[in-house]
Amino acid sequence: MTLDVARIRKDFPILDRQVRDGQPLVYLDSANTSQKPRQVIERLDEFYERHNANIHRASHQLGEEATAAYEGARIKAAGFIGARDETEVVFTKNISEGINLVAYAMGNATAGQSGGSGSGRFRLGPGDEIVITEMEHHSNIVPWQLLCERTGATLRWFGVTDDGQLDLSGAGELIGERTKLVALAHQSNVLGTINPVREIADRAHAAGALVLVDAAQSVPHMPVDVQELDADFLGFTSHKMCGPTGIGVLWGRRELLEEMPPFLGGGEMIESVWMDHSTFAPPPHKFEAGTMPIAEAAGLDAAIDYLTDVGLDAVRAHEQDLIGYALDALGGVPGLRVMGPADPAARGAAISFTLGDVHPHDVSQVLDEHGVAVRAGHHCAWPLHRRFGIQASTRASFYLYNTTAEVDALVDGIRQAQRFFGGD
């Protein structure tokens, strides 16, 4: 199946914009946040215009409609990733909150907080270990650092090879009987590397450890099935997959969600409350305290519909073609160094690079002057950049609405930056 990119682009009104004194917008920052199609924008408008009310609590028609929209989005999200049913889907405000939810639940279990059927698998102490990787986003590093500080557990990690792959040579020593959880990205937001999650999950489960997958960069771009990955937890976020900001998804195996104590306390997540104690609702509501992002859930539902109609297999194929084209074109720029795998099949739709002695922020500024939107910095992956001996990089990231002509505009802008700063 081939994408009709010209037709798809018509669904995204922002792509018709001109920026910087009449330059056509070339948006290459979808790994940061994607643009939104009319179908999502219209769903949000329709919710606020016709159905706006709080969920679960109201006994009137608008409340029923809002609840149906919210819980319908949960069902849609569960099916999108192959969950057994919607009770395994917890809504959060983003994937960072989803990862923190698991980390703080483990900390609460260690502290002896009630709220589950038993929390032994989540208790940590000195001698226990959590394993991550050197290519993680800060959202999958810092929560585990904080958890280890609170519990006395030890944080360990997989290194990264020179070509941007996980170094699995010491996996047998790294994952063992002391490992309680392995947390890793399905796809690196910097290198584009697609990691062998199932291989690592099999090893972790053999050691009795749990597995959490950060799928923020994979779920929007390719078919992802939590059963095939054999994960225990998996998170992704709406705003990177054509949906609105403010809502994310944490999927967890039902039996684990039942065992975990809650993260936040408040309305909706309770069963009964007395002055001296409380009991909690079953999952997923146990983890959804207070008023949730209701309209955003409706928008996420529309985004899932949109990507399903387009076909994620077709999105993945289109992006691989773009990445192959971009790698070839960037390879012709003297002094430009691409980070990550050289094989388009081994990576997702993000390319980070350095350009000789030209600072990444200078590259991005020149590109912006020509209407090309990219990101520069450490991309919330400072340890990974230090691994490669640099402080920052420039990142161009692609999605279903990008074209080879936009790759050409990127390369032309890079060459102009090189000429301006005397790098060529």
Side-chain angles (χ1 to χ4, degrees), residues 74-75 77-79 82-89 227 251-252 254 283-284:
R74 194 192 307 276
I75 294 169
R84 289 178 293 188
D85 61 61
E86 69 275 13
T87 65
E88 297 188 321
V89 169
Q227 311 303 333
W251 168 84
R254 170 77 189 205

Side-chain angles (χ1 to χ4, degrees), residues 84-101:
R84 289 178 293 188
D85 61 61
E86 69 275 13
T87 65
E88 297 188 321
V89 169
V90 178
F91 283 134
T92 62
K93 70 171 180 280
N94 49 43
I95 189 172
S96 298
E97 184 176 81
I99 295 170
N100 275 276
L101 189 159

Side-chain angles (χ1 to χ4, degrees), residues 36-54:
K36 322 306 176 191
R38 294 182 190 276
Q39 292 86 334
V40 170
I41 297 168
E42 290 170 357
R43 184 76 66 87
L44 289 166
D45 286 345
E46 193 260 350
F47 178 85
Y48 279 123
E49 289 175 356
R50 297 189 58 81
H51 311 292
N52 184 49
N54 214 325

Side-chain angles (χ1 to χ4, degrees), residues 263-279:
F263 168 38
L264 297 173
E268 288 298 301
M269 52 76 68
I270 53 85
E271 183 178 64
S272 296
V273 177
W274 292 265
M275 289 306 298
D276 60 347
H277 72 282
S278 299
T279 58

Side-chain angles (χ1 to χ4, degrees), residues 57-299:
R57 309 168 189 175
S59 57
H60 48 71
Q61 182 173 337
L62 291 185
E64 292 173 359
E65 291 171 355
T67 299
Y70 182 79
E71 294 299 341
R74 194 192 307 276
I75 294 169
K76 192 73 63 69
F80 192 61
I81 56 171
R84 289 178 293 188
D85 61 61
E86 69 275 13
T87 65
E88 297 188 321
V89 169
V90 178
F91 283 134
T92 62
K93 70 171 180 280
N94 49 43
I95 189 172
S96 298
E97 184 176 81
I99 295 170
N100 275 276
L101 189 159
V102 177
Y104 276 89
M106 293 181 77
N108 290 343
T110 301
Q113 179 176 322
S114 64
S117 59
S119 50
R121 298 191 70 181
F122 295 98
R123 291 196 179 102
L124 291 172
D128 292 326
E129 297 177 351
I130 292 174
V131 175
I132 59 174
T133 86
E134 200 174 17
M135 68 170 66
E136 298 306 312
H137 189 283
H138 295 163
S139 293
N140 207 23
I141 298 176
V142 178
W144 308 118
Q145 291 175 338
L146 294 173
L147 178 61
C148 287
E149 289 175 5
R150 293 196 302 272
T151 62
T154 300
L155 187 67
R156 305 184 70 190
W157 53 87
F158 287 97
V160 176
T161 64
D162 290 343
D163 63 351
Q165 305 280 1
L166 285 183
D167 183 356
L168 301 181
S169 60
E173 185 272 333
L174 192 60
I175 298 175
E177 61 183 12
R178 294 185 174 183
T179 308
K180 296 297 289 272
L181 179 136
V182 178
L184 76 159
H186 192 186
Q187 177 188 310
S188 168
N189 71 312
V190 177
L191 304 172
T193 307
I194 299 172
N195 288 319
V197 170
R198 181 57 188 259
E199 176 184 346
I200 294 170
D202 287 346
R203 186 179 292 272
H205 289 150
L210 299 170
V211 176
L212 180 145
V213 179
D214 173 354
Q217 298 293 335
S218 59
V219 164
H221 300 276
M222 66 184 76
V224 172
D225 187 304
V226 293
Q227 311 303 333
E228 292 180 2
L229 291 178
D230 200 23
D232 297 299
F233 301 97
L234 180 142
F236 60 96
T237 193
S238 165
H239 73 93
K240 297 182 190 295
M241 53 180 287
C242 299
T245 57
I247 188 167
V249 169
L250 173 69
W251 168 84
R253 296 192 185 279
R254 170 77 189 205
E255 59 272 21
L256 296 175
L257 295 178
E258 289 175 344
E259 187 177 342
M260 287 166 56
F263 168 38
L264 297 173
E268 288 298 301
M269 52 76 68
I270 53 85
E271 183 178 64
S272 296
V273 177
W274 292 265
M275 289 306 298
D276 60 347
H277 72 282
S278 299
T279 58
F280 304 114
H285 299 105
K286 177 170 64 171
F287 302 103
E288 295 180 357
T291 299
M292 295 298 289
I294 307 164
E296 290 83 354

